[in-house]
Amino acid sequence: MTAPAVTIHRLDPADRTTAQRWDEFVLACPQATFFHRSGWQRVVREAFRHDTYFLFTESAGRIDGVLPLAQVKSWLFGHSLVGLPFAVYGGAVGSPEAVAALEAHARQLGQTLGADHLELRNTIRRHDDWPIQDLYVTFRKAILPEEEANMLAIPRKQRAMVRKGIKLGLTGALDRDIERFFGLYADNVHRHGTPALSKRYFQLLRDEFGSDCEVLTVCDAGGQPLSSVLSFYFRNEVLPYYAGDAVAARETAANDFKYWELMRRACGRGLGVFDYGRSKQGTGSFAFKKNWGFEPQPLYYEYCLYRRDSIPQHNPANAKYRLLIETWRRMPIGLANWLGPKVVRSLG
């Protein structure tokens, strides 16, 4: 007998019942990540006003595959269908039949929408004939059961920086709001010459994901905020995802202490994986994570090209953005914080 054709469904943003079923599948699917959760549909739609196509397949009344997508249209950066913008990981997950059907549907959808390309942010290579973006890697490492064992697992020079922060009396505390985090984050990205995401976006993350989205802020002995990180929790993993530091954080090793404090707390909660997230090869953040003893793991951002000859390079490492970066650094931070979300929404 011929196997029945796989039917593709689109998740209705207002359908909470199906969204719950979606999330139950994601939690149980070994290949799924935090970025496959249905809540990203609301966040992406409300924060960036992008059309979303959260696709899923069913078998015997049960969801057996999902692919979250969003359409990004920009006069400056082009028109794309991405799985998923503002996410490190993405792509279709589920049974082999479901994944194949979802990817085929996504390819057709991108053409129907008139996109320049389809981008799937896979963690494994799936299409040998698709061009890939080889700029990014991720860093993941097991959290050991004992706090001291995690400290000793940090290479000596980096461990000395953590101990420096401890000796200086730095403390970490969980914040109930995003105020201190956003101030540090916005100032930090401004110094680096890149546009900031909106404060509303971070509030939406907190509202949508609740206790699975947490802010940890590090202060000096006098209570002055120096460094902050917004982290996601998924199954037994912690993912520090957005961060910001004051200028004084460098001399006090507050950034180093911050990640140790997050790891220490995750160990106390019995979590098993510390996901340091994505970095561009050859950057300072890449070197910083390597110095913690984490080994880079390649990410396979695969592209199906429709109306372009090569994959886009919309990142600060692109030399053609150098002048824009220098200009952004000189911009008053109030103006940068107002203008930034209008630019970054098209980058993803």
Side-chain angles (χ1 to χ4, degrees), residues 65-77:
V66 301
L67 173 55
L69 297 165
Q71 181 181 205
V72 181
K73 300 175 73 173
S74 167
W75 65 269
L76 185 60
F77 300 111

Side-chain angles (χ1 to χ4, degrees), residues 145 152 165:
L152 295 176

Side-chain angles (χ1 to χ4, degrees), residues 77-151:
F77 300 111
H79 179 188
S80 60
L81 184 63
V82 186
L84 186 69
F86 306 98
V88 170
Y89 314 125
V93 295
S95 70
E97 297 79 11
V99 169
L102 287 164
E103 289 183 339
H105 187 87
R107 292 182 68 173
Q108 181 60 50
L109 177 62
Q111 289 182 313
T112 302
L113 294 173
D116 299 324
H117 66 269
L118 165 68
E119 176 187 352
L120 298 180
R121 298 182 175 180
N122 297 319
T123 56
I124 61 172
R125 190 78 160 108
R126 286 195 46 80
H127 301 278
D128 292 336
D129 57 335
W130 290 21
I132 64 168
Q133 173 72 273
D134 59 0
L135 181 65
Y136 299 109
V137 297
T138 190
F139 294 84
R140 291 165 56 84
K141 190 176 181 181
I143 300 172
L144 302 174
E146 301 296 330
E147 181 178 310
E148 186 61 19
N150 286 294
M151 175 67 83

Side-chain angles (χ1 to χ4, degrees), residues 234-251:
F234 182 70
R235 292 196 283 246
N236 73 330
E237 305 176 8
V238 58
L239 300 81
Y241 203 65
Y242 294 108
D245 308 288
V247 174
R250 180 181 294 273
E251 62 190 49

Side-chain angles (χ1 to χ4, degrees), residues 13-27:
D15 187 349
R16 289 294 181 180
T17 300
T18 305
Q20 182 177 347
R21 294 173 54 227
W22 173 299
D23 287 330
E24 289 170 353
F25 166 80
V26 166
L27 191 62

Side-chain angles (χ1 to χ4, degrees), residues 302-323:
E302 300 183 333
Y303 291 76
C304 179
L305 305 179
Y306 306 121
R307 294 172 175 82
R308 53 183 312 133
D309 298 324
S310 60
I311 60 177
Q313 298 293 338
H314 303 320
N315 64 80
N318 190 333
K320 75 176 186 178
Y321 295 123
R322 194 168 297 154
L323 178 60

